[in-house]
Amino acid sequence: VERISLGDVDAPIYDGDFEAGSGLPDGIVRLRETIAGSDGLLVGCPEYNGYMTPLLLNALNWSTRSDAAAPDLTPFRNKLVVISSTSPGPLGGMRATRELRNFLTGIGALVLPQAYSIPRAMGAFDEEGKLKDERAAKQSQTIAAQLVDMAGRLA
């Protein structure tokens, strides 16, 4: 299991003119390679005003590009994906989950029906970033383990 923080992926806001002149940013090339080399993805999606974060959307948009300056959905085709979401509100990011599911399905990913949401996120984690609620932590671990198991079987 490899953790990817999009904060570490250096990429400007997607712009076709920038892409035509400069090609893919190095961080996006590495991200595409990591996605392509994985058996499955667990995508964490904080909710911003009912939608996925601009950072996540930008990274996904860039990740569908290639050096051929044309859409290349290869890293996502038939890739197993589980979505987890969070928000400060009581729905835990479920609206963003729906939007992300539509996006990922549209680019060829196989989004599993298991989804995990963390409501009231501002108080859900301890100082070390771990979920305070043991039941919620166990549920998230179970869903992640199911993804790893299914992806391993299909690999």
Side-chain angles (χ1 to χ4, degrees):
V1 175
E2 182 175 350
R3 183 174 187 262
I4 301 169
S5 173
L6 295 181
D8 297 333
V9 177
D10 186 27
I13 298 295
Y14 178 76
D15 177 336
D17 291 336
F18 175 90
E19 178 188 12
S22 301
L24 296 180
D26 292 340
I28 294 300
V29 171
R30 287 189 301 277
L31 179 61
R32 281 180 52 84
E33 290 170 352
T34 301
I35 292 169
S38 69
D39 294 329
L41 301 172
L42 191 154
V43 179
C45 179
E47 182 180 273
Y48 283 16
N49 299 318
Y51 204 72
M52 67 186 99
T53 67
L55 179 63
L56 177 57
L57 182 59
N58 189 57
L60 290 171
N61 280 326
W62 267 114
S63 295
T64 64
R65 309 305 294 174
S66 72
D67 286 332
D72 178 7
L73 307 178
T74 306
F76 296 96
R77 293 256 186 237
N78 300 317
K79 184 79 59 183
L80 290 179
V81 178
V82 167
I83 299 171
S84 67
S85 63
T86 187
S87 79
L91 298 178
M94 291 304 292
R95 295 176 301 169
T97 298
R98 181 183 60 240
E99 300 300 331
L100 180 55
R101 178 181 302 278
N102 287 340
F103 184 97
L104 290 169
T105 301
I107 61 173
L110 302 173
V111 183
L112 300 176
Q114 300 91 325
Y116 183 71
S117 295
I118 302 168
R120 297 174 184 83
M122 302 311 224
F125 299 92
D126 65 18
E127 298 79 30
E128 297 175 1
K130 295 182 181 180
L131 282 168
K132 293 178 183 177
D133 183 329
E134 281 187 42
R135 182 172 168 244
K138 184 173 171 111
Q139 183 183 12
S140 69
Q141 291 168 354
T142 298
I143 290 172
Q146 289 173 347
L147 173 63
V148 170
D149 179 60
M150 292 175 73
R153 289 173 193 251
L154 292 174

